[in-house]
Amino acid sequence: IKINKNNLPELHPSSIMNYANIGAKLNAAGKHSEALEYHMKALEMGKQLFGEEYIEVAINYNNVGVTLRELGRHTEAFEYLE
């Protein structure tokens, strides 16, 4: 992320992918609260860059929903997974 911040604009597909990947690794390590922060960042950046109707944004919505489900926040998770 540091390299991207120094070399790429804030809203760049590579930056979004990096945030999502870090979120996935944190989820795999059982650090769901931390993962949620990264997945939310990836989602917000993706919406700003691409809009709502883009496949990568849909994947980020799914990542947020899955992470919320892992945290036991099922009602919130449903909103991101529908």
Side-chain angles (χ1 to χ4, degrees), residues 1-80:
I1 291 177
K2 287 181 183 180
I3 293 171
N4 281 359
K5 284 184 177 181
N6 292 332
N7 296 302
L8 298 172
E10 171 78 18
L11 292 176
H12 190 277
S14 291
S15 298
I16 297 167
M17 184 175 59
N18 286 338
Y19 279 104
N21 287 340
I22 291 169
K25 293 292 184 185
L26 288 167
N27 261 339
K31 299 180 179 181
H32 306 299
S33 293
E34 290 177 64
L36 182 59
E37 293 176 32
Y38 283 91
H39 285 310
M40 290 297 290
K41 179 75 172 174
L43 175 59
E44 292 308 314
M45 290 172 69
K47 288 184 346 186
Q48 287 177 24
L49 186 61
F50 301 115
E52 293 279 342
E53 302 297 322
Y54 190 73
I55 187 66
E56 296 300 325
V57 175
I59 291 168
N60 289 321
Y61 268 107
N62 184 71
N63 290 341
V64 170
V66 167
T67 303
L68 287 167
R69 186 180 64 211
E70 291 295 325
L71 289 167
R73 294 163 57 180
H74 301 288
T75 302
E76 288 175 82
F78 181 76
E79 294 173 18
Y80 287 89

